[in-house]
Amino acid sequence: MKNLLPTAAMAAVLMAPVAAHAVAVVAPTITVVTSVAPNAFGSPSYAGYVANAVGALHDGQATRGDPNSPTYYAAQSNVQASQVIVTSFPSWLGQADPGTNFGPNFANELGNRMLFGIKIDGNGAQFSIDQLSFTAQSNDPGDALGFGFGVGSYTYSADYEGVLAGADHTLWTSDDIFVTSGPANQLVDGLVGRGSGNSFANDPCGCTTVAEQQAAIDAVANFPGYPTQFTGAYSLGAATGSGTFNISGSVPEPSTWALSILGLGFAGGMLRRRRSQVALQAA
């Protein structure tokens, strides 16, 4: 049964000067945590990574899961260019033949992508996920990784979980209630999500050997037009939050340099067409 104020007391409240009851409105807090994820398109470990990412963001953890598994989540903002390329053949963190280089758990991975994980605290005011928007920009001349999602694009799911305070009336505790389905205009107290992101992808190359596959990765990572920063920003009403990847160059091993040189001509044309192709990797 709801607790109600007595009629006389309520009348007194209603008659009191409005200024005496003015309460400062605190905008939601948006925290963005960057991480390197498996390829969302085709990776057998992606769902496991998402579960670890969402759980870690809710609990305020920088890492979660088994470091020897591609489902492992770790907050990370400094990356090498080769580590954040998605491929049409098995690779992981810039290495072809990942089963040999990282172990059998990684054998079927298809590269990696940069994600901007998100945690929103309403600070006592409720909001809905359909109010959320996102923009991303890279600092290369063509903004090749840039894209965005407007208001109304996001929905509740296992990837983006609405959070309601539980019986203790305190957010980010063990009795929180999670909203993973239903209308996007449902009001929640908080939100955690694996985040949107992007990465460069190799063009279909018909690569049949590990050396050819590695050369294709190196050609993309070492192209002079590769950006050195990639920034993602979320907005929820007047509240904003952003995160940035710092991307350093990668120089191939001498044994693969000759093949990389052959691949650079292909890569030059590839990156001139890259904006339309990276959009396929945005999520």
Side-chain angles (χ1 to χ4, degrees):
M1 184 174 180
K2 295 181 179 179
N3 293 320
L4 302 176
L5 285 172
T7 303
M10 181 172 290
V13 170
L14 293 175
M15 293 173 64
V18 173
H21 297 277
V23 177
V25 177
V26 180
T29 301
I30 302 177
T31 303
V32 180
V33 183
T34 53
S35 69
V36 176
N39 185 357
F41 303 100
S43 165
S45 67
Y46 188 69
Y49 162 85
V50 168
N52 281 332
V54 171
L57 289 165
H58 176 273
D59 294 345
Q61 298 173 327
T63 62
R64 177 170 286 198
D66 179 2
N68 297 312
S69 167
T71 63
Y72 181 64
Y73 168 82
Q76 181 180 1
S77 59
N78 297 317
V79 298
Q80 291 186 348
S82 61
Q83 295 175 326
V84 288
I85 296 172
V86 295
T87 58
S88 56
F89 48 79
S91 73
W92 184 258
L93 295 179
Q95 297 292 313
D97 190 17
T100 298
N101 289 312
F102 296 94
N105 290 337
F106 297 82
N108 297 314
E109 295 302 317
L110 298 172
N112 303 84
R113 56 192 290 110
M114 295 174 278
L115 292 185
F116 298 93
I118 183 172
K119 180 176 184 176
I120 303 178
D121 190 323
N123 293 318
Q126 291 192 314
F127 61 91
S128 58
I129 195 172
D130 66 348
Q131 300 169 330
L132 185 67
S133 62
F134 176 78
T135 58
Q137 293 182 315
S138 54
N139 68 343
D140 56 287
D143 187 21
L145 293 174
F147 74 103
F149 292 125
V151 171
S153 299
Y154 290 93
T155 59
Y156 296 113
S157 66
D159 288 18
Y160 294 91
E161 299 185 353
V163 186
L164 294 167
D168 64 0
H169 304 293
T170 302
L171 201 57
W172 315 122
T173 59
S174 60
D175 70 343
D176 283 348
I177 301 166
F178 297 94
V179 178
T180 58
S181 62
N185 62 356
Q186 291 177 85
L187 294 177
V188 295
D189 301 313
L191 180 83
V192 286
R194 47 87 171 168
S196 298
N198 209 348
S199 279
F200 284 112
N202 75 287
D203 273 7
C205 61
C207 306
T208 58
T209 69
V210 172
E212 290 172 338
Q213 293 169 351
Q214 190 62 56
I217 294 172
D218 293 340
V220 177
N222 290 282
F223 185 71
Y226 205 107
T228 58
Q229 286 191 324
F230 181 40
T231 298
Y234 295 93
S235 296
L236 183 77
T240 61
S242 65
T244 297
F245 283 96
N246 300 304
I247 307 170
S248 60
S250 171
V251 179
E253 295 295 324
S255 61
T256 63
W257 180 248
L259 283 172
S260 295
I261 290 293
L262 293 175
L264 279 173
F266 146 78
M270 173 188 65
L271 290 185
R272 284 191 292 273
R273 304 190 304 274
R274 181 53 62 193
R275 177 180 271 288
S276 63
Q277 293 181 6
V278 291
L280 297 176
Q281 299 297 335

